Amino acid sequence: MEEEAETEDQQRFSYQQMQGRGADQSGPELVLRCGFESPPRQLVIVPTRPKCNFLLCKIVRLKAAVHYTVGCLCEEVALDKEMQFSKQTIAAISELTFRQCENFAKDLEMFARHAKRTTINTEDVKLLARRSNSLLKYITDKSEEIAQINLERKAQKKKKSEDGGKNSREPAEAGVVESEN
């Protein structure tokens, strides 16, 4: 039974890099087999520029991972609530999720850029989550928890370095005292 589930999961999305058989013969194409349908549908993407191949491959793989995760979550909800999700519904939820994540990434980048920073930090994430009180509270609590842990670690390191410094000085001072005698 478990083997069937594993092979089913493996069959849902399989990726193959194939030598380009597209119109321009410029490079490899990416074939995505979607196993939610029977028989599995194939989506063939042929990049137009060789430089885009790497990025395109990453985006397609990321979309496939989101689609797979949404499919698994929908299956869990379907079993729990005794209802069914159509393939089109799963695809629509996947696409909305991916687009929303793209929007979040752009917003975070713009928040950091507005603050004249190149790094996104927790304040940017809090600003993004400001419309959802429960999410903002959760992020704030976790941020404070992580900050507290980091302060404790710094204090422990400082204490260890001071203790290590005292131990290394004591033998040197003892050696000086002995040589005076």
Side-chain angles (χ1 to χ4, degrees), residues 97-135:
T97 303
F98 192 81
R99 286 185 186 180
Q100 188 64 39
C101 288
E102 283 180 328
N103 290 337
F104 286 163
K106 288 175 186 175
D107 288 347
L108 288 170
E109 184 180 358
M110 296 308 290
F111 295 154
R113 210 179 268 170
H114 179 73
K116 296 179 176 56
R117 288 183 275 109
T118 57
T119 305
I120 295 169
N121 63 23
T122 54
E123 295 305 314
D124 299 323
V125 177
K126 288 178 188 176
L127 187 60
L128 181 68
R130 70 188 180 278
R131 292 187 184 125
S132 172
N133 291 332
S134 60
L135 181 60

Side-chain angles (χ1 to χ4, degrees), residues 95-177:
E95 186 63 27
L96 286 172
T97 303
F98 192 81
R99 286 185 186 180
Q100 188 64 39
C101 288
E102 283 180 328
N103 290 337
F104 286 163
K106 288 175 186 175
D107 288 347
L108 288 170
E109 184 180 358
M110 296 308 290
F111 295 154
R113 210 179 268 170
H114 179 73
K116 296 179 176 56
R117 288 183 275 109
T118 57
T119 305
I120 295 169
N121 63 23
T122 54
E123 295 305 314
D124 299 323
V125 177
K126 288 178 188 176
L127 187 60
L128 181 68
R130 70 188 180 278
R131 292 187 184 125
S132 172
N133 291 332
S134 60
L135 181 60
L136 180 60
K137 183 181 181 324
Y138 180 80
I139 290 172
T140 303
D141 292 346
K142 284 295 179 184
S143 175
E144 290 171 357
E145 181 182 321
I146 291 169
Q148 183 64 31
I149 290 170
N150 287 339
L151 285 175
E152 290 172 2
R153 286 182 184 166
K154 280 185 180 180
Q156 287 175 352
K157 282 184 179 180
K158 188 174 182 180
K159 189 174 183 180
K160 284 182 182 179
S161 67
E162 288 175 358
D163 289 344
K166 287 180 183 177
N167 290 339
S168 63
R169 289 181 193 156
E170 289 174 4
E173 291 173 1
V176 171
V177 173

